[in-house]
Structures are given as C-alpha cells and as structure tokens.
Amino acid sequence: MSAYGAVISLKNTIQFIVESPRLFVIPTGRILRPAYEAVCDLQTVLKKLEKTGYIKIRTKVNALDEQIKEAVWDFEDLLESHIYDQILPQVETDHLSFYGDLQSHRKSAEVTKMEEEDNEDEEEYKDAEEEDNDNDEEDEDDEEYKEAGEEFKEEEREEDNDNDEEYMEAEEEYKEGREEDKDNDDAEYKEAEEEEEEEYREDKELYNKLLYMRQFIHQNLPSLRPKDRLAFLVDLHSLKQSIDRFVIRVTAMAVEYDVALLNMPEEEGEPISSRIEFGGIGSYMVGLTEEFEQVRDYFLAEKEENCFAITGMAGIGKTTLAKKIFDDPLIQGHFELRAWVKVGRKCEPNDVIRGVLAQVDPNTQDQMLTQGDDDDDLKLDGVLEDILKDKKCLIVLDDVWEWDTQLMGILPDKNVRIMLTSRLRMEESPSQVVRLLNEEESKKLLCEKVFGEEGFPLSLEKKGEKIAEKCEGLPLMIVIVAELLSEEDKTPEYWTEVAEKQHNSVFVDAYNQISEVFFPSYDYLPQYFKMLFLYMGSSPPYCDINIADLFRRLGAEGFLESIGNETLEEFIGIGLKILSQLYNLVIIHESNVESWFSKREFRVHSCWQHVCKKEASKIKFLHVLQSCDDDMKGQRRLCAHHNTLFAFKQVYDSIKSTCASTARSILCLGPYHQYPVPIHDMDFKLLRVFDALEVRFYHIPLDIMKLVCLNYLALTCNGEIPISISNLFHLQTLTIHPHINIKKRGAPLYVPMVIWDMQELQHISISGRDLPTPKSDATLEKLSSLFGVSAKSCIRENLKRIPNLRMLEIMMELKPYDDDDDINPLSGLEYISKELHKLVLLSYILTNPDMRYQSIVPLLMFPSSLAVLALSGLGCPWKHMNDIGSLLPNLRNLRLLHYAFHGPEWNIESGYFLKLETLVIEDTDLVRLRPQRGSLPMLELLSIRHCYKLRQVDWTCDPSKVTKPTIELVECSPSVVAFSEQLRPHLNVHCYSSF
C-alpha cells in the first residue's frame, strides 16, 4: 500500500513541477521524464498485486513494498527540498520588496527592522573593508607574501606544462585507438550528450537573464504589484546524477517485485474435519429479528435463485445469524438435508464437496475426511448429485472471500439452496447486509454476557450503557469487552474509568484482539483503497467525517490521480460506495441525507480506526498523537485529536528534531480550541496540508506564508490575510473562517488582490471576506467552489474570471446600522446565470432579514444547470418560487429556510419541478401547501419543519407521479399532524412533536 501511495504522490509532484505556470525549470521538464516514466512503470507492476487473489501469502511482497516506499519517499524529499531551497530565497526577496497590503503601502515594523539591520550590516562591512585595506598597506610581510606567490605560480606553470605533455601523448594514443576501433553507439551517445549540454547552456543563459531581470525589478521597481512578479526560477541540473541513480534503483526494485509476485506462496488449506466443525458457533443472537425473518423466509419460499449471501463487516454477526437460520425448526423441517462448510481464503471446490458429502451421507464420512487431493477414485460431483436427487438440501458456505463460478457449477442447483456469509458483497446473488446493533440491543448483549439474566446492578447500569455505546453496535466488540470486564472487579470506580477514558486498558486490549480478525480485510484491499482507508484513521473516533474535506486533503496530498471527465463529487461517490457496499468498511446511512429522521452518518468504526492508526503509524504513513511520549521519528503525517498536544515543549521539540523537515500533513482534528497553538514554528518546509481550522489564531503567522509546498490551508482567524499568501503557489484549498462573527463598520474585508494569481486554487471558503475586483485579465480556471462570500464578490468582472465554478455560497447580513431603506441584499446577482454556466449548487443565506418589505429575487441569478438550491431569509412571496422553478429543469434538491418565502399559501403549478427529489421547508408562516396535478412527479421527500401555522398539505393521488414520497412533519401544528392521517394510505408520513 505505502509504495503505491508514494508512487502516486511522486507522479503528481513531478507533473506539477513540469507543468506549473509559476515555475521556470532548467533543464526543462525532460530532466525529470526518466524518473516519471520509471515510477509509471513501477505503478504498473504494483497493480499486479490485485490479481494475485486472497490465497497468496504477502509477507515478502509487503517487505519489498516497504523498501520501494522508502526509495520513493527519499527521492521525493530530495526533489522537493531542492526546489524549496531555491524558491525560499526568492520568496523572501519578494516579501521584502513587495510587502504590504494593496490598500496600504505602509511597511510593517518587522520589515523596517530587517532593513535597518541590513543597513547596519552594510556599514559594518564597509568599515571592516577600509580597516583591512589600511592594515594591508602597513603589513611588513606583504612583499614576502607576493614573492612566495610568484614562486608558487611559476612552479605550477612548470608542472602544468609537464602534465599537458603527458596528457597530449595519452590523448594521441587514445585517438589512435578510437580510430582503429570506432563505435557508432559511442559516437551517437557523445552527440546526444553534447546536444544535451548545449540545451542546458541555452537554458542556463535564459535562466541568468531572467535572474538578472528579477534582481533589476527588485532593486529599481519596488512599486510593482505582486502580480507582476516573475515565476520562480529553479535549476535541477545538479540533481541529474540523483535522478539517474533513482531510475536505476526503482527499475531494479520493480523487477524484483515482479519476480516476487510470480513466486508468492499459497496459504495452507484447513483439513476437512475442521471445515465442517461448527460446535463452537452459537446461534444465540440479540436483535436482528427482522433480518433473521427476512432471510429465513427467503429460504422457505421457492425462489428461482439458489444462492443467498449474508454480508457485512468482520465481527458483525454474519456467522451467528447464519447458524440461527440453519438451526431454526422451520428450516430443519423444510430441508431434508443440511450441511455447513467453512470456506475461508483458500478452499478448493473438491474440499467443499467432500465437506458436504461427509454431512449428508454418513456412509462416506470417514472416506471424505481422509481422502487426499490426488485421489480421483470418486467423481465427487456425480456422487453428490445422486445423493441429493429429489431431496431438498441447505448448504451453508461460511466466510467466503470470492465468488467461485467453478464451485457454483459443481453444486447441484435443483432442490439445493446455498447460504453463504462473506465480508465482501457478492453482486452475483441476492444478499442481506447485517447491520450494527442499536443502543438497546448493545446494552442487552453486554449485560447478558457480564451478568447473565440478573441484569445490571443499579450502580453500574448507566456506566454499562456508556460502555455499550462505545462499542458502536459491533457484537464481537461487545462480547470481548464483556469478557474483559468479567475478569475485573465490578466496582463503580473501575467501570467509570472504562466508560469515560478513551484509551483505557479494556478497550485497548479489545481493539488489539479484534485487529487480528479485522486485518485480513485490510491486507487484501486494493492498494488504492488501502491508502484511502488508512487516511480515514486520522478522524476522531465516534465522529462523522466531512467527505468533501477528506477528499480535498487527499487531493492536496497528491493521492488523487486524474479522474478524466468525472467531477470530484462523482469520484467521491464511487470511492465511498466501493468501501461501504463492496468491502463493508465504512459506515454510511444511505437514507435521504436531507431527512430530519436520518442519522446522516459517514464514519469509520472505532475498531477499524484502531487498525488504521496502528498500521499507518507502523509504516510511517500517519501518526495520531496520543501523549507527550509518542515516538514520531520519520512520520509523514501528524494528527492530533487533542490540539493542545502540539503546544507542549516535549512534543514540539520531538517533532522539530525527528520529522518536521519531511512531514507532509499537520491535522488538528480535535474539539475547537480558542487559543493559539505554536504549530507554525516547527520548520515544516515540505508541508502540503495544514488543517488548523479547530485552532484559533490571532493573526495569520507569516511563517506559514513561506511553506511554498502547501496545497491545503485551513485556519480560524479574524486578522487580515497577508499579501504574501501568493507565495503559496501550489495552494488548492484555502479556508479562512472568523473566530466569532465580529463586524466592523466601514469598508468590507477583502482578501488580497494576489488571490487572482494563485492558479491552482480549487476551493475557497472565506466567511466574512470577499474577492476583490481584479485589474488584469487574471482567471482562476480550476476554481470549482466558492463559499462564504457576499454579493460584493458576485459582480460580473469577478464571475467571468471563475468560469468553471460548480458550487457557490453567498452569505449576506443586514447590519443594524444599515439605515438606508432602499438597501436591497439581492442587488448585483443578475450575472450569475450569464457567467456561471456550470454551476450545480447555489446557496444564498440572508441573516437578520428585514421583513418590512417584500424582496424580489432577480431571476437571472439562477442558471439552468442548478441541481441544488438553498435559500434562506429572503422574504419573497411564494408565487415567485414558481417563477424560479420554471427556470431550473435540472433541480433535484430544494431547501427553503427561515422565511426564504412567506405568505399563507404556496400553490405549486402543474409542470413545475419535474426532476425535484427533495423539498425541505423550514421556519415559515405557510398555512397551506397545494401541489397541483403534474407537479413534483419525482419527489421522494417532503420535509416540513417548524411551520407552526401549517394546517393542510393537499396531496392528490396523481397518476403522473413516478414515486411515492415520504412526508415529514416536524414540530408543526397539531392540526396538520391530525390532517396527515388522511395521507397515510397513500404516502409514507412521519411526524415528530415535542408537545
């Protein structure tokens, strides 16, 4: 895994260096091409691991993977350090020459002090030079020194002449030998070498010219704006030997890895006797009654499909559920014969047949248990077919790792039903995914395992609930924790420690035991998903993961390869679907995310997080800080779930001395901390991701502006963004949020004008700030999302410079001191539809709205490409919403919040909102909602919340409607809840009320 991730990262690093518009590299990109081609070839070899199957032992391959990773990391560190060391002096020069805000030309005290120190140094240097000259004139030994120098030069000339004669003789002999035995290949090589040297000389000349121009500008034109600065100049010629050595090294490693793949040993299969032994598998099960009945009824019914899969993550109870079905009296009465075979990662089809025969025909049991693979006396499939003829048989195949078409072809399909359990989704058959236990079921299972039928003692019940909750519904975890608790004193003090302390011995021991069960699921993941899954281990336990932030960080790390025409959202969806549905590793609740009753969860189970953190730290991929004593040597990424850990001197010193110079990520993912933490002083020169959104900064540290490799920056700060932000020319994601929403009277707060020169930006979130209007033709072609700006950022001059924007969030606030009655918070938005033709999400939020007047939304702010629209606080009449809907043929999700529209009735006219799937209405004075026939034919969810005046939802049974929607009524008037009973025969209606 680690080698594969390292290769992707290096490929993207090389590609960026070669293609960056702000890097002028000499020799040109060709010097890195051999390295790029070598890692591409290496990646192709690494991909072959996916085709080796689950029965191969990966010990040697994993060891080679570790060696390859180290080689790639070393070269990437060398390459980026070389570039950083050349760029940083240029950045600092730019900083001194152009420091200052675009609105203010005053120099900072820091720069003034530096200039004064420079002047003092220069005066001291002149004084020392004059003093040195005076001393030279008075030096009595000066003449002797000159005479000695002349003698030395004369001796050197004589030696040089002798050496030249010897050299010329040797050269003549060499030329004669070359003429006698001339090699065309050597001549071609020499010619190519001379050509390369000539190209390098030309590049060097251009480099020197640009360098001279750069110095000239800094010395003579200090008034130039930062956007006029030249690209950074980088000379890679001195790395040529290192590049050549790297290519030779990884090429040899690729060959060695390829050979190792061909010679991978296989797992030893278990004997038949152990495969059919299920005495230790219990059928007692807590919860999952509905799942049990569904699967059992499937086998009792005469379905055409003869195979059914029970799937889910390791330890979730698949085998227990299968055993309960296997032992159920109705199943026993329905099937004359039953057989149970454990498959595992290695199981030959004949082993399965022998295992089944040993159970369905007692006469052959001894023979089946002792027969070897080479015995061919019996045609097993024919024997089994004869025995099962005209008899109903249920065969359970436990712990299946891959669909075996050969096996399914051998097993008779007439009258035979197969139930298999698997950690992986079997797409070839119908299936049932086993869910996690709910809180009540978890508590019951823990109680029964520790106290039996007696139940929790009153003093331990609340603590038992908390412990069960920490197990997150995983039966195996609950059982192991219960066993460990049973071995200790059942005192309130001890149980309180287990319930409250995150890293107590009970849970750590339970996690370590479960890791052995879980690890194969990770070890046999495709390499790309290993990397993604390990990165998810950085998230705090029991917390949802922000999917968009996760993938932006992965992209900033260089772990996302080109995805062709797929958008980031589509790529995210595919990746998560595979990890969730195919491998059952990520917990995603797939109900409508806009539903009030939905959990809206996306997380990794704490047991899996333990595996991720342990493995990631072991291979130096990522380390989650647990205490001040952690060993962080060589770690590439550091994460803290307690942000203050970075502030302790012991941790600070350890990071700075062991891994700061090569670390790629710093992640502060703990609870919000409102006081600064000195993370930025640790010399993270190659840092790519700095996520400190959960830490408050009083001012944005200027040290961060020197991290020229930074791709992702997230901070919380009320201070102004310095102009030196443009030094971060790699930056893809910029997130700057205020500590608290403090508004100053006067001029609005803008980001520096240099933002328009940062060509790599893809995501900007700058709550409380706005984009300035550029005075050049600069564009941000890669920018896809812009969040937190006001309407001041949406003037036409700005919008036409972000043509590929897909998501836009506008936040407006009417301030108490805005006394102008003519103020219109919606003015200036009419160019959105004219300039942003790719916009799919638009959110407009107006806080502190003034409802004295009815606002009229400019219809030109809604491009027809919109799929998601969220409006809040507008105060428009409902009829205006129909006009908006008529412009949006692709709209699928509509959220109308906090009096976005107001009035007693919304009459949705026929033919409107033809693709709308989700409609959320919250906090309005709506009394009656009337969708006409022919409107909302695709609606799946209608969620109405906190509409206390609502009395009636007129929903007719319209044959044009494709779906049967769910209607949610949350904290609405009792009269509409009573009215909703009339809708229940036709619709799914859910109500919630706190009164």
Side-chain angles (χ1 to χ4, degrees):
M1 181 297 302
S2 48
Y4 193 83
V7 164
I8 294 176
S9 176
L10 179 55
K11 280 178 58 181
N12 285 326
T13 297
I14 294 174
Q15 197 165 0
F16 180 83
I17 292 171
V18 173
E19 297 177 358
S20 173
R22 288 194 62 183
L23 279 182
F24 181 80
V25 180
I26 64 160
T28 50
R30 68 183 183 280
I31 194 172
L32 289 173
R33 178 158 294 281
Y36 185 82
E37 292 174 350
V39 292
C40 287
D41 293 341
L42 178 59
Q43 184 182 18
T44 301
V45 174
L46 292 173
K47 284 181 179 178
K48 293 181 180 180
L49 180 64
E50 323 298 352
K51 300 178 181 179
T52 57
Y54 298 107
I55 65 174
K56 299 291 186 177
I57 299 175
R58 298 185 169 186
T59 307
K60 184 176 181 180
V61 168
N62 288 342
L64 288 173
D65 184 279
E66 185 71 12
Q67 296 175 25
I68 294 171
K69 173 205 74 177
E70 292 295 334
V72 174
W73 278 359
D74 288 346
F75 179 73
E76 189 171 35
D77 290 345
L78 175 67
L79 178 61
E80 288 193 283
S81 295
H82 185 78
I83 291 176
Y84 174 87
D85 291 340
Q86 293 187 64
I87 289 179
L88 187 59
Q90 301 176 51
V91 166
E92 291 174 338
T93 304
D94 289 348
H95 179 70
L96 291 173
S97 300
F98 302 110
Y99 187 89
D101 192 284
L102 289 178
Q103 286 78 35
S104 172
H105 296 289
R106 292 176 300 174
K107 292 181 180 178
S108 71
E110 180 183 355
V111 175
T112 303
K113 183 179 179 183
M114 292 173 68
E115 289 181 345
E116 290 174 354
E117 291 175 352
D118 288 342
N119 292 333
E120 291 175 4
D121 291 343
E122 188 174 351
E123 290 298 325
E124 290 177 5
Y125 175 77
K126 287 180 179 179
D127 292 342
E129 191 176 42
E130 291 174 0
E131 184 179 347
D132 187 51
N133 290 334
D134 294 339
N135 291 338
D136 284 345
E137 291 174 1
E138 298 173 1
D139 194 345
E140 297 178 355
D141 297 330
D142 188 47
E143 289 299 324
E144 295 180 7
Y145 174 80
K146 288 181 179 179
E147 291 174 4
E150 290 298 328
E151 291 177 5
F152 176 77
K153 289 179 180 177
E154 182 63 30
E155 290 175 1
E156 273 202 328
R157 279 195 294 268
E158 292 176 359
E159 288 181 5
D160 287 344
N161 291 334
D162 293 339
N163 291 336
D164 286 345
E165 291 177 4
E166 293 177 3
Y167 174 78
M168 290 175 67
E169 291 175 4
E171 191 177 39
E172 288 297 326
E173 293 176 4
Y174 174 75
K175 287 180 179 179
E176 290 174 3
R178 289 282 294 169
E179 289 173 359
E180 293 174 0
D181 187 16
K182 192 170 184 179
D183 190 329
N184 293 331
D185 292 336
D186 286 348
E188 291 175 2
Y189 174 78
K190 185 178 180 181
E191 185 180 344
E193 194 175 46
E194 290 174 353
E195 184 179 338
E196 184 176 329
E197 286 297 324
E198 179 62 27
E199 290 178 359
Y200 174 69
R201 282 194 294 272
E202 292 175 358
D203 284 344
K204 190 68 175 178
E205 288 176 7
L206 180 57
Y207 176 89
N208 290 330
K209 289 178 182 178
L210 290 173
L211 190 60
Y212 173 77
M213 291 170 61
R214 188 183 185 92
Q215 293 170 346
F216 180 83
I217 288 173
H218 287 179
Q219 293 171 3
N220 301 290
L221 300 175
S223 62
L224 282 178
R225 293 182 182 275
K227 65 182 177 59
D228 298 318
R229 282 177 287 181
L230 297 174
F232 297 115
L233 309 177
V234 178
D235 185 356
L236 297 183
H237 190 263
S238 59
L239 285 184
K240 190 175 186 309
Q241 289 185 347
S242 298
I243 294 170
D244 292 342
R245 285 195 296 269
F246 171 73
V247 170
I248 293 171
R249 186 179 181 189
V250 297
T251 302
M253 284 181 163
V255 172
E256 186 178 5
Y257 189 90
D258 208 2
V259 172
L261 288 176
L262 295 174
N263 297 286
M264 291 174 72
E266 292 187 357
E267 293 274 357
E268 292 185 6
E270 296 182 36
I272 303 299
S273 56
S274 63
R275 291 187 182 279
I276 65 175
E277 176 60 46
F278 53 84
I281 302 173
S283 59
Y284 175 74
M285 187 176 67
V286 172
L288 302 177
T289 302
E290 184 177 341
E291 288 80 357
F292 162 74
E293 292 176 351
Q294 287 177 355
V295 179
R296 182 195 61 186
D297 294 346
Y298 179 90
F299 284 103
L300 293 176
E302 299 296 333
K303 299 285 187 180
E304 292 184 5
E305 298 91 346
N306 71 325
C307 185
F308 189 91
I310 298 175
T311 65
M313 75 166 64
I316 205 167
K318 303 181 295 294
T319 301
T320 302
L321 176 58
K323 187 64 165 53
K324 184 173 182 179
I325 296 168
F326 188 80
D327 291 341
D328 185 76
L330 292 178
I331 291 292
Q332 294 186 38
H334 185 78
F335 294 98
E336 299 175 61
L337 300 172
R338 294 174 303 133
W340 181 289
V341 180
K342 180 184 177 183
V343 179
R345 293 203 304 278
K346 182 178 182 180
C347 186
E348 300 294 338
N350 281 351
D351 290 343
V352 174
I353 302 299
R354 292 190 186 101
V356 173
L357 281 171
Q359 296 172 76
V360 299
D361 186 3
N363 296 326
T364 64
Q365 183 173 9
D366 292 339
Q367 185 180 9
M368 292 300 104
L369 296 181
T370 58
Q371 187 171 344
D373 291 339
D374 297 332
D375 295 331
D376 211 13
D377 296 333
L378 293 173
K379 291 187 177 180
L380 298 177
D381 51 341
V383 173
L384 183 62
E385 188 173 358
D386 290 340
I387 293 174
L388 299 182
K389 188 176 181 179
D390 299 328
K391 295 179 181 178
K392 292 183 177 180
C393 178
L394 174 64
I395 300 174
V396 176
L397 303 179
D398 188 32
D399 193 25
V400 176
W401 280 72
E402 58 185 331
W403 186 269
D404 193 327
T405 54
Q406 182 183 359
L407 173 62
M408 296 306 166
I410 292 176
L411 291 173
D413 58 357
K414 193 175 182 179
N415 299 322
V416 174
R417 295 294 177 265
I418 301 168
M419 174 168 55
L420 59 87
T421 70
S422 179
R423 304 179 182 200
L424 309 175
R425 180 182 178 183
M426 298 294 167
E427 297 181 351
E428 295 81 0
S429 66
S431 62
Q432 172 69 55
V433 179
V434 181
R435 64 171 175 82
L436 294 165
L437 302 182
N438 59 35
E439 292 181 7
E440 193 60 37
E441 293 166 344
S442 299
K443 176 184 173 183
K444 181 180 179 182
L445 179 59
L446 180 69
C447 178
E448 291 182 359
K449 291 296 181 181
V450 179
F451 298 103
E453 297 180 357
E454 300 176 6
F456 282 115
L458 189 61
S459 61
L460 299 180
E461 185 170 5
K462 291 295 183 183
K463 299 169 181 62
E465 288 180 4
K466 180 67 175 176
I467 293 172
E469 182 182 344
K470 288 177 67 176
C471 294
E472 295 188 282
L474 188 68
L476 180 60
M477 182 69 177
I478 296 171
V479 170
I480 294 177
V481 168
E483 291 173 354
L484 294 171
L485 287 174
S486 299
E487 297 171 359
E488 303 291 339
D489 294 333
K490 299 176 181 61
T491 62
E493 293 78 15
Y494 182 73
W495 277 51
T496 298
E497 179 184 350
V498 175
E500 301 297 336
K501 189 177 178 182
Q502 178 62 41
H503 302 292
N504 63 82
S505 59
V506 168
F507 274 86
V508 171
D509 290 347
Y511 286 146
N512 288 332
Q513 290 185 41
I514 288 177
S515 294
E516 298 179 7
V517 179
F518 275 30
F519 190 78
S521 291
Y522 161 79
D523 197 29
Y524 288 91
L525 268 177
Q527 295 184 88
Y528 188 83
F529 291 106
K530 276 188 180 181
M531 177 182 60
L532 170 59
F533 193 54
L534 281 188
Y535 202 85
M536 284 195 231
S538 63
S539 63
Y542 316 115
C543 294
D544 286 349
I545 300 172
N546 186 306
I547 300 174
D549 285 346
L550 170 68
F551 274 80
R552 289 187 191 113
R553 287 197 292 264
L554 283 167
E557 287 275 9
F559 290 148
L560 298 183
E561 291 197 274
S562 175
I563 54 178
N565 295 325
E566 291 177 352
T567 64
L568 179 61
E569 294 81 4
E570 291 168 343
F571 183 77
I572 290 172
I574 293 171
L576 296 183
K577 184 176 181 180
I578 291 172
L579 281 174
S580 172
Q581 298 182 3
L582 182 59
Y583 294 104
N584 294 299
L585 297 179
V586 177
I587 301 169
I588 301 178
H589 286 278
E590 293 188 343
S591 55
N592 194 312
V593 294
E594 298 291 354
S595 171
W596 188 87
F597 294 94
S598 170
K599 290 185 177 181
R600 295 186 287 275
E601 287 183 329
F602 169 68
R603 59 191 172 92
V604 176
H605 195 280
S606 59
C607 293
W608 268 120
Q609 280 190 317
H610 179 79
V611 174
C612 290
K613 288 188 290 187
K614 186 176 180 180
E615 181 64 16
S617 182
K618 175 184 173 183
I619 64 175
K620 308 297 184 183
F621 178 76
L622 181 147
H623 181 75
V624 178
L625 290 168
Q626 307 287 359
S627 71
C628 294
D629 300 322
D630 284 12
D631 179 12
M632 291 162 279
K633 185 176 180 179
Q635 294 292 345
R636 305 285 280 192
R637 291 157 195 88
L638 295 175
C639 172
H641 297 160
H642 301 282
N643 300 328
T644 51
L645 273 172
F646 284 118
F648 288 100
K649 188 176 187 304
Q650 185 176 346
V651 176
Y652 179 96
D653 292 341
S654 178
I655 293 173
K656 193 166 184 178
S657 62
T658 61
C659 64
S661 62
T662 56
R664 293 310 199 274
S665 282
I666 295 295
L667 306 174
C668 302
L669 302 182
Y672 183 70
H673 187 71
Q674 64 175 331
Y675 302 106
V677 174
I679 310 168
H680 55 92
D681 295 327
M682 297 186 198
D683 191 28
F684 295 109
K685 67 177 186 178
L686 301 183
L687 203 66
R688 294 180 176 178
V689 174
F690 186 51
D691 191 334
L693 196 62
E694 300 304 322
V695 177
R696 178 192 177 187
F697 288 84
Y698 295 139
H699 303 284
I700 296 178
L702 293 179
D703 286 348
I704 294 177
M705 301 301 115
K706 297 179 182 180
L707 302 178
V708 296
C709 296
L710 207 62
N711 292 338
Y712 182 108
L713 177 62
L715 299 173
T716 293
C717 182
N718 286 84
E720 293 187 1
I721 301 175
I723 196 172
S724 50
I725 188 76
S726 65
N727 294 335
L728 310 182
F729 65 99
H730 280 245
L731 204 64
Q732 300 170 7
T733 294
L734 175 63
T735 301
I736 308 288
H737 289 175
H739 168 58
I740 49 178
N741 196 17
I742 301 176
K743 296 293 182 182
K744 294 182 180 179
R745 190 165 187 171
L749 187 61
Y750 287 93
V751 297
M753 187 71 72
V754 293
I755 197 78
W756 293 102
D757 296 323
M758 302 173 68
Q759 298 297 306
E760 299 300 318
L761 278 172
Q762 300 172 16
H763 170 78
I764 298 176
S765 181
I766 44 174
S767 300
R769 296 173 171 86
D770 275 299
L771 292 178
T773 303
K775 296 181 180 180
S776 67
D777 57 355
T779 60
L780 295 178
E781 296 283 347
K782 296 183 180 181
L783 192 67
S784 64
S785 53
L786 177 62
F787 292 163
V789 297
S790 76
K792 294 182 177 66
S793 294
C794 300
I795 63 174
R796 189 167 196 173
E797 287 300 309
N798 287 357
L799 296 180
K800 69 182 182 180
R801 287 169 167 77
I802 47 178
N804 297 312
L805 199 71
R806 294 178 55 80
M807 292 180 282
L808 174 62
E809 179 192 65
I810 303 171
M811 301 178 69
M812 295 291 293
E813 180 177 1
L814 295 185
K815 308 175 189 66
Y817 46 79
D818 285 335
D819 300 324
D820 186 358
D821 290 341
D822 296 329
I823 188 169
N824 181 3
L826 294 167
S827 62
L829 300 177
E830 60 272 13
Y831 293 108
I832 293 178
S833 64
K834 292 182 179 179
E835 301 295 344
L836 302 181
H837 304 296
K838 297 181 180 180
L839 200 68
V840 294
L841 181 151
L842 174 62
S843 174
Y844 184 96
I845 302 168
L846 179 63
T847 56
N848 300 333
D850 187 348
M851 292 298 173
R852 289 178 298 172
Y853 311 105
Q854 287 189 352
S855 299
I856 303 299
V857 181
L859 297 181
L860 290 175
M861 72 179 283
F862 303 105
S864 60
S865 57
L866 282 182
V868 180
L869 176 62
L871 301 173
S872 175
L874 302 182
C876 299
W878 280 109
K879 63 180 181 180
H880 202 40
M881 187 64 239
N882 290 335
D883 298 331
I884 295 172
S886 66
L887 302 172
L888 305 177
N890 301 303
L891 193 65
R892 298 182 183 277
N893 187 311
L894 176 61
R895 293 171 56 85
L896 307 175
L897 314 176
H898 310 307
Y899 279 80
F901 294 84
H902 76 97
E905 183 173 304
W906 183 15
N907 182 13
I908 305 177
E909 298 176 9
S910 179
Y912 284 18
F913 303 105
L914 298 181
K915 292 186 178 180
L916 195 68
E917 298 171 358
T918 301
L919 173 58
V920 178
I921 304 173
E922 182 175 331
D923 187 20
T924 75
D925 58 354
L926 189 66
V927 177
R928 187 179 185 185
L929 178 63
R930 300 182 59 194
Q932 299 294 324
R933 283 181 176 270
S935 66
L936 305 173
M938 304 291 290
L939 195 68
E940 297 176 358
L941 173 68
L942 170 62
S943 183
I944 306 178
R945 310 165 191 172
H946 301 279
C947 296
Y948 305 112
K949 294 183 179 181
L950 186 68
R951 296 180 182 177
Q952 190 172 345
V953 177
D954 293 346
W955 200 274
T956 58
C957 296
D958 186 350
S960 68
K961 296 191 185 305
V962 179
T963 58
K964 182 180 180 181
T966 295
I967 295 182
E968 296 178 350
L969 298 172
V970 179
E971 299 286 20
C972 293
S973 66
S975 59
V976 75
V977 173
F979 175 80
S980 68
E981 293 297 323
Q982 303 175 23
L983 305 176
R984 289 189 185 276
H986 313 292
L987 306 169
N988 301 315
V989 180
H990 301 293
C991 300
Y992 172 81
S993 178
S994 58
F995 50 85

